[in-house]
Amino acid sequence: KYESDLDKILKEMEEHPNFGVEISGYASAEGDIDYNKKLSNQRAISVLDYINHKGIVRRRIIAKGFGASSDSGMSKEESRRVEVKIVDLNKL
């Protein structure tokens, strides 16, 4: 569903070898805390795998699951998300 968005990020990374991505996975607040942590991590890893299989080396990818989203203004559906941010690896 989001491949075209990820492909735009891949294009930026291919054009700028000093760029990396920071992937943050989240879950809704429903359910068990440990399960939500695991689920959010799986979401982040799915995006990591996509980017890695498209040729971006693993050292340019940071991925982490944060469990339930802390933004109470979001719906359950909005809380179940992955955020991808391009970062300059020289500034980390």
Side-chain angles (χ1 to χ4, degrees):
K1 178 177 176 179
Y2 297 102
E3 286 182 8
S4 64
D5 294 328
L6 292 173
D7 289 341
K8 290 175 188 173
I9 291 169
L10 285 166
K11 186 174 182 335
E12 285 292 318
M13 293 183 72
E14 289 167 357
E15 292 174 2
H16 304 280
N18 59 320
F19 285 0
V21 289
E22 188 174 277
I23 304 165
S24 303
Y26 297 92
S28 66
E30 295 179 319
D32 180 70
I33 292 173
D34 290 332
Y35 177 76
N36 285 338
K37 179 75 172 168
K38 180 179 176 184
L39 182 61
S40 67
N41 197 52
Q42 289 172 338
R43 287 185 173 130
I45 289 172
S46 292
V47 175
L48 179 152
D49 287 343
Y50 180 84
I51 292 171
N52 188 236
H53 285 107
K54 292 288 186 165
I56 302 300
V57 294
R58 177 65 179 89
R59 64 181 165 74
R60 294 177 64 193
I61 308 168
I62 302 164
K64 185 170 182 179
F66 289 95
S69 177
S70 61
D71 188 344
S72 60
M74 290 186 164
S75 70
K76 290 183 277 188
E77 291 78 19
E78 291 171 325
S79 296
R80 300 173 187 137
R81 70 188 188 285
V82 174
E83 296 175 355
V84 180
K85 180 171 64 170
I86 295 176
V87 295
D88 186 341
L89 298 174
N90 294 326
K91 295 183 179 180
L92 292 179

